[in-house]
Amino acid sequence: MAYEVEMIADFRTRVGEGPVWDPKRQILNWTDIQTGRLFEYDPASGKSRKIYQGEYIGGYANNKRGGFVVASWSGIGLWREGEEITYIHQGTLHGMPLQFNDVTAGPGGQFYAGTYYEDGRRAKLYRFDPDGGITIVQEDIGTSNGLGFSPDLSTSYYVDTQQRRIWAYDFDADSGEFSNRRDLVVLDGEEGFPDGLTVDSEGFIWQAMWGGGCVIRIDPDGKEERRVKFPATQTSSAMFGGKDLNDLYVTTAWNGTGENEPPYDGSKHRGGELYRVRIDDVQGKAEFETDFAWPE
């Protein structure tokens, strides 16, 4: 199946990540983790701009009470354009620094955020609740990455990039608990490493492959249904947007992350741009929002 892939913004992101669509504003945001920048793209005008420069931000979510909940390399906080981050949790947690990578909002307004450490320390996936509660969802992680939920909220999905695994869990939407972890997909690394993901309205996972230059659509049983190729090898994450949620936005990165990278063909372009591709026969589903109150 052939697709028309369009490059819509080029900020030469070192580690472009975390695309999030805001259906209220009809705006896409994304981050460059290793330069501490946040961007937005407005499809109506075709214009994109930088909206933040500061802390390294691994991920963020739209917040019902305004602004974003952000997960930086310093902690968890709330942020609005033109302001500094108002931190809720900062420093260390359970003896580990709060250096975050990918995140997502849960159906109860929770904020799921996983850590990543360049020195090889094992990471964790946390759930931060609006009432201040903090739960360790998963420990002993290499690189915490993509997170998502099935449309009926019976299943949650979670990626450990270093272990090249996409896990499925039983999900309790009332409590936000993950249980009964099992392998959904185990990849061999020859086509890259699983990174960020999103789940469409039919319950299929759209998995970005770091080093693979593609996004793979995977059915709920773990079988590949199709793949969309991009002119950059380091495809890092994916998100559906647009009025009808038929536009797939994909972030890429030009900078390598160090060890455990796939072998690269130096003649190929790594990335740094934001891409969009129309998927006419598939519709995404709206992402959840966090529900955190701003400190008085």
Side-chain angles (χ1 to χ4, degrees):
M1 191 177 297
Y3 293 97
E4 182 178 345
V5 176
E6 178 185 10
M7 192 272 285
I8 58 172
D10 184 8
F11 288 96
R12 204 163 190 265
T13 54
R14 288 173 62 89
V15 184
E17 264 282 10
V20 175
W21 177 255
D22 185 340
K24 297 174 183 175
R25 297 184 300 138
Q26 293 288 296
I27 294 289
L28 184 92
N29 294 104
W30 76 105
T31 183
D32 182 3
I33 298 176
Q34 292 191 358
T35 64
R37 295 180 292 170
L38 273 175
F39 309 100
E40 73 169 29
Y41 170 69
D42 180 357
S45 67
K47 294 181 179 180
S48 55
R49 65 188 182 99
K50 181 179 71 176
I51 61 172
Y52 174 82
Q53 176 86 60
E55 294 271 2
Y56 286 13
I57 294 176
Y60 54 92
N62 294 315
N63 190 46
K64 289 181 182 178
R65 306 194 198 193
F68 301 91
V69 175
V70 301
S72 79
W73 283 22
S74 295
I76 301 291
L78 291 116
W79 177 79
R80 287 184 286 228
E81 187 174 358
E83 300 179 9
E84 297 297 318
I85 297 172
T86 300
Y87 278 101
I88 302 169
H89 303 285
Q90 198 170 15
T92 61
L93 190 62
H94 305 110
M96 299 289 281
L98 294 174
Q99 180 175 306
F100 288 101
N101 196 34
D102 215 341
V103 307
T104 198
Q110 313 97 328
F111 190 55
Y112 293 86
T115 50
Y116 161 67
Y117 303 104
E118 294 173 312
D119 61 9
R121 283 178 291 179
R122 305 300 286 173
K124 293 179 174 65
L125 174 63
Y126 297 95
R127 188 185 74 240
F128 295 88
D129 295 326
D131 65 4
I134 304 172
T135 301
I136 297 176
V137 176
Q138 186 68 59
E139 299 187 81
D140 195 27
I141 300 299
T143 300
S144 183
N145 235 310
L147 292 148
F149 304 96
S150 64
D152 65 1
L153 299 183
S154 67
T155 307
S156 53
Y157 303 104
Y158 178 45
V159 168
D160 183 340
T161 299
Q162 284 188 23
Q163 295 193 51
R164 304 188 182 109
R165 277 172 160 77
I166 306 171
W167 286 307
Y169 298 75
D170 294 338
F171 181 64
D172 186 322
D174 293 328
S175 67
E177 297 290 333
F178 289 33
S179 62
N180 187 29
R181 188 181 80 176
R182 62 269 188 195
D183 287 335
L184 181 72
V185 180
V186 181
L187 296 147
D188 61 16
E190 292 183 3
E191 295 181 299
F193 291 71
D195 202 320
L197 64 79
T198 191
V199 181
D200 66 30
S201 61
E202 298 175 26
F204 285 62
I205 296 166
W206 292 75
Q207 178 65 63
M209 296 299 296
W210 180 277
C214 66
V215 175
I216 303 173
R217 189 183 192 223
I218 299 167
D219 74 17
D221 294 322
K223 297 181 178 61
E224 179 177 332
E225 186 263 351
R226 74 180 78 173
R227 64 178 56 197
V228 183
K229 295 183 179 180
F230 291 84
T233 59
Q234 291 185 165
T235 38
S236 55
S237 194
M239 175 64 59
F240 280 97
K243 181 181 178 181
D244 299 316
L245 296 177
N246 292 120
D247 293 326
L248 185 69
Y249 290 92
V250 175
T251 52
T252 64
W254 69 258
N255 188 51
T257 55
E259 297 180 357
N260 299 318
E261 289 188 319
Y264 282 103
D265 179 345
S267 66
K268 292 184 178 180
H269 175 60
R270 288 194 176 198
E273 307 83 20
L274 175 69
Y275 292 93
R276 178 176 61 191
V277 57
R278 182 76 173 180
I279 311 290
D280 288 318
D281 62 333
V282 174
Q283 186 176 46
K285 63 181 181 69
E287 297 293 309
F288 296 110
E289 295 179 308
T290 52
D291 192 15
F292 282 68
W294 282 80
E296 296 182 359

